[in-house]
Amino acid sequence: MKLFACLLHMKSPELSQKYRPDHLAFLEEQHKKDNVTAYGKFADGAGGLIIYRAETLEDAEALVKQDPYVEKEARTYEIHEWVMNSEQWS
């Protein structure tokens, strides 16, 4: 499995607030399915970051498009394959 970093850029603070419970439920469900490794918001309110686990970029993007924030156009997204460098911690 590969890792994909998804930046969710703030588009609508109002819609983000409205759909936050649905977004968090979606992330928790994906985490339980082992599709999400980590997630969190940016302290400056600009959006957030989600690390997805998937076979391909297309698979990861299909998950991203199911996120209520993306479906309801509260956020835009940018997704990149991410290679974690764990050797630095050895």
Side-chain angles (χ1 to χ4, degrees):
M1 291 286 232
K2 297 176 182 177
L3 296 174
F4 297 88
C6 179
L7 299 166
L8 288 178
H9 303 287
M10 183 65 69
K11 183 175 178 182
S12 169
E14 295 80 17
L15 289 176
S16 290
Q17 184 66 28
K18 179 177 180 178
Y19 294 110
R20 181 173 170 74
D22 297 335
H23 165 73
L24 293 176
F26 168 78
L27 292 178
E28 185 59 33
E29 176 185 339
Q30 294 307 314
H31 178 71
K32 288 178 183 176
K33 292 179 178 180
D34 207 29
N35 293 329
V36 168
T37 303
Y39 56 88
K41 64 182 181 177
F42 297 132
D44 66 1
L49 172 72
I50 304 165
I51 305 296
Y52 284 94
R53 181 179 286 126
E55 291 290 335
T56 66
L57 175 62
E58 292 78 18
D59 292 341
E61 191 166 29
L63 289 170
V64 172
K65 288 180 177 180
Q66 294 174 41
D67 186 327
Y69 274 172
V70 175
E71 284 184 332
K72 304 297 185 183
E73 298 184 6
R75 308 269 177 110
T76 61
Y77 70 90
E78 178 181 345
I79 187 168
H80 302 274
E81 185 175 346
W82 184 57
V83 179
M84 183 171 64
N85 185 0
S86 59
E87 293 177 13
Q88 67 185 350
W89 308 114
S90 300

